[in-house]
Amino acid sequence: MEKKRKALKKLLEAVEKEILKKPNRKTLDRLSLFVGYQDWESFQEAVHGEADGLSNYED
């Protein structure tokens, strides 16, 4: 029983560590595309700056 408890604890620690990781740049860019921005920087400008995202649709 103790072995199983230790194994479960190690598994939970590994999962928790993975969940708390910061996503890489490629993932952030893809998420930004999903919500209508060209890349992570454009999304950040819209969230924290004056940009409204319409420039993403200009030709």
Side-chain angles (χ1 to χ4, degrees), residues 2-59:
E2 187 62 32
K3 253 186 172 180
K4 288 182 181 180
R5 189 172 287 155
K6 284 183 181 182
L8 181 58
K9 184 177 180 182
K10 284 182 87 171
L11 175 63
L12 289 175
E13 287 173 355
V15 169
E16 189 175 68
K17 182 180 177 184
E18 196 63 32
I19 289 172
L20 295 176
K21 265 186 177 176
K22 182 178 178 182
N24 66 27
R25 180 58 186 253
K26 186 176 180 179
T27 302
L28 294 172
D29 283 342
R30 287 183 178 178
L31 288 170
S32 299
L33 281 171
F34 182 71
V35 295
Y37 293 89
Q38 292 295 318
D39 54 24
W40 180 245
E41 290 172 0
S42 300
F43 175 72
Q44 288 296 301
E45 280 183 30
V47 170
H48 299 292
E50 301 294 320
D52 59 5
L54 293 177
S55 60
N56 291 326
Y57 300 103
E58 294 175 0
D59 289 324

